[in-house]
Amino acid sequence: MPEAVTSDATAAAAREPDVASLHHLCRVLAEAAEAVGEAAAHASGLALGGPAAGGGRLPAPARRALLRALTDPEGLGWAWRGRGLLARAGWLAGVLTSRESLAVSLAVTGLKARIRAAAVSHPELLDHGTAAKVLRAIEADRQTEAAGHFRRLMTERGAEYALAILAPSFTDVLAWNALTDENPFNDRAGWQIATGRPLTSEPLLGVAAPVWSRLDRGPGRAEPHRPDAALRDRVDTSGTITGYVRNIGLIGTGGLLLVQPVTGPDGVRRYVVQLAGMAPGKPNHDSPQDLIGAIDAVGATETPYTRAVTKALRQSVPSGAELALVGHSQGGITAMNLAGSRDFTAVYTVTHVVAVGSPIDHKRPADPATRVFSLVNEHDIVPSLEGRSAVSPYGLPACFTEFTWTDDTHAFPLCHAAERYAHNLRHDVPDVAARVDKELAAYRGRPAAARFFTLHDR
């Protein structure tokens, strides 16, 4: 009966913990995990022969007690930590033999609370039976079963649906996997996600950020581009965030940069720089907008893309000018990298950054007066790839404003496309567009001819 169904649904909702309580639990567990980890590192150093607080070596009985605490499941678990050879060997042995440590167990429990919080905020995660089985297997720490259900979900509905439906908790799932699998190289990334720290490696294989930087070493180059009449006539000059995002979709991912000069209501000439995202497909060594460049940009601050954009602006924008940087995906990361560069901000005043579908949450502008806006569809996995999802328990600094929403496009990469974000801003979240437009009011006025540049890696 409808009344019974409604009553059952209400009762089920009442049994669910509220998101704020789960997020508080996540933060408490992360703090506890870090404290226990620090204690384990100190104990490891003392047990393996390090100097005690008084300057000498620990007596043998004390060292035996520490060794028991560092290997006892009822103590710190298998908790070897430190930089010495013996400590590293002990830690690696624990990873390869699936021995648990208390610090990691606390971090994993916090991640599971975050995944539960995402399911409370997004009940659609549990609407599909196989997706629900993935989350339940994670809650029960059954890694092999969770992986099997995820493969089944991709087979049943395709990778596009699987990635989009799990997007609100995808980063936390990756971190859970990193801390519970037998790959020792991705543990650091899992730990950093669990404790709200910036990533220094990616969480799947554990490849460190400096490796990507070594692969992405182009000097960057920019050449003026003469657009054909069709492209030039289609450029949106409304001065709205919806128009800028549509322009980014218009220029595509083939290496074009668009700069729009605008004389504002106060008579000052300002510039809106519009940066597109990564080109799909295999790495393109002629363009800074490729897969390697996108991965590098998450952890780096200076990349071939930032160098190419800087060279383009030096050709077209006078020193000291005010800029608004609007970027989608890799373009949004690059906008934040430029805003975070003291060299770049010594030449230009970056008043605003608007990042659309971009993983930027651990980046900071060099000038605290720079206003940062992050626009995120919560079923787009890309914005969470630097370790913080839109439903994270960790907040953002005062200079950041994050707008998130969901739409019914549960398919990736369609829900990530610049054109889809422009559609969202116009039809689904016009209030978000209005608030961003209000912030960018100084950039609405008399537009001058748009300037285009072709960007190169080398």
Side-chain angles (χ1 to χ4, degrees):
M1 295 185 298
E3 292 81 2
V5 171
T6 303
S7 176
D8 289 346
T10 303
R15 288 194 297 269
E16 287 289 351
D18 66 277
V19 173
S21 297
L22 285 168
H23 281 178
H24 175 72
L25 175 63
C26 296
R27 292 189 292 269
V28 170
L29 287 169
E31 291 172 5
E34 288 196 306
V36 172
E38 290 172 4
H42 187 60
S44 297
L46 292 175
L48 294 174
R57 302 283 179 179
L58 283 179
R63 289 183 61 189
R64 286 195 295 271
L66 281 177
L67 289 170
R68 284 195 299 273
L70 287 163
T71 55
D72 188 346
E74 296 184 0
L76 294 173
W78 190 268
W80 299 107
R81 283 195 173 204
R83 297 185 178 182
L85 181 61
L86 289 177
R88 287 180 178 274
W91 165 78
L92 181 60
V95 172
L96 296 178
T97 58
S98 301
R99 300 286 294 273
E100 292 187 0
S101 78
L102 178 58
V104 170
S105 295
L106 288 167
V108 166
T109 303
L111 287 169
K112 291 193 289 185
R114 283 157 62 165
I115 295 168
R116 179 72 177 276
V120 173
S121 299
H122 291 274
E124 69 273 12
L125 282 167
L126 302 178
D127 285 346
H128 189 280
T130 308
K133 289 177 181 178
V134 173
L135 300 188
R136 292 192 185 107
I138 290 171
E139 190 169 343
D141 284 322
R142 295 194 292 266
Q143 188 179 42
T144 302
E145 183 180 327
H149 289 313
F150 181 67
R151 287 193 294 270
R152 192 170 301 113
L153 179 63
M154 289 197 293
T155 301
E156 292 172 353
R157 299 295 296 269
E160 297 87 354
Y161 177 88
L163 292 175
I165 198 66
L166 291 174
S169 58
F170 191 73
T171 296
D172 297 327
V173 170
L174 287 181
W176 170 83
N177 178 72
L179 289 175
T180 57
D181 68 8
E182 295 180 3
N183 175 6
F185 302 108
N186 60 4
D187 281 26
R188 178 182 292 274
W191 182 264
Q192 288 168 336
I193 293 172
T195 55
R197 299 285 186 259
L199 286 179
T200 57
S201 60
E202 51 83 22
L204 200 58
L205 299 176
V207 179
V211 174
W212 297 110
S213 292
R214 283 194 287 272
L215 295 172
D216 190 39
R217 299 178 63 180
R221 182 166 55 88
E223 297 175 346
H225 174 82
R226 186 184 296 274
D228 58 35
L231 176 59
R232 186 179 60 248
D233 293 344
R234 291 175 62 195
V235 171
D236 191 301
T237 59
S238 65
T240 64
I241 185 58
T242 302
Y244 296 137
V245 178
R246 288 163 74 181
N247 284 344
I248 290 172
L250 177 66
I251 63 177
T253 57
L256 281 185
L257 174 73
L258 172 59
V259 181
Q260 285 182 291
V262 179
T263 302
D266 55 1
V268 175
R269 174 67 65 92
R270 297 179 177 87
Y271 299 82
V272 184
V273 183
Q274 289 146 77
L275 304 102
M278 183 191 83
K282 63 183 180 180
N284 179 355
H285 295 296
D286 183 54
S287 169
Q289 294 167 236
D290 65 355
L291 177 61
I292 293 174
I295 298 173
D296 181 30
V298 173
T301 54
E302 186 179 349
T303 67
Y305 200 168
T306 63
R307 291 190 281 270
V309 172
T310 300
K311 290 173 181 177
L313 297 183
R314 294 300 286 162
Q315 297 176 44
S316 60
V317 178
S319 299
E322 293 186 0
L323 307 179
L325 306 176
V326 182
H328 169 252
S329 192
Q330 183 187 1
I333 312 172
T334 300
M336 275 304 297
N337 284 338
L338 290 166
S341 166
R342 296 199 177 277
D343 290 339
F344 185 82
T345 54
V347 178
Y348 300 111
T349 300
V350 180
T351 63
H352 296 81
V353 172
V354 184
V356 183
S358 302
I360 63 162
D361 294 348
H362 285 299
K363 294 183 179 291
R364 300 293 179 262
D367 182 354
T370 299
R371 298 286 293 140
V372 179
F373 294 87
S374 179
L375 312 183
V376 176
N377 175 353
E378 292 184 10
H379 282 281
D380 177 5
I381 67 168
V382 172
S384 65
L385 293 181
E386 43 71 71
R388 181 188 178 276
S389 71
V391 291
S392 171
Y394 296 102
L396 291 167
C399 66
F400 272 63
T401 302
E402 182 180 62
F403 294 108
T404 71
W405 62 85
T406 60
D407 68 6
D408 57 1
T409 309
H410 292 169
F412 179 85
L414 177 59
C415 66
H416 176 64
E419 295 84 354
R420 186 64 192 177
Y421 272 95
H423 176 90
N424 290 156
L425 290 165
R426 182 167 185 174
H427 298 287
D428 303 322
V429 287
D431 55 323
V432 171
R435 287 187 61 181
V436 178
D437 288 343
K438 184 177 180 180
E439 282 284 337
L440 295 175
Y443 290 85
R444 297 188 75 168
R446 300 191 308 277
R451 303 169 188 178
F452 293 83
F453 295 87
T454 302
L455 306 181
H456 300 276
D457 195 341
R458 295 179 173 84

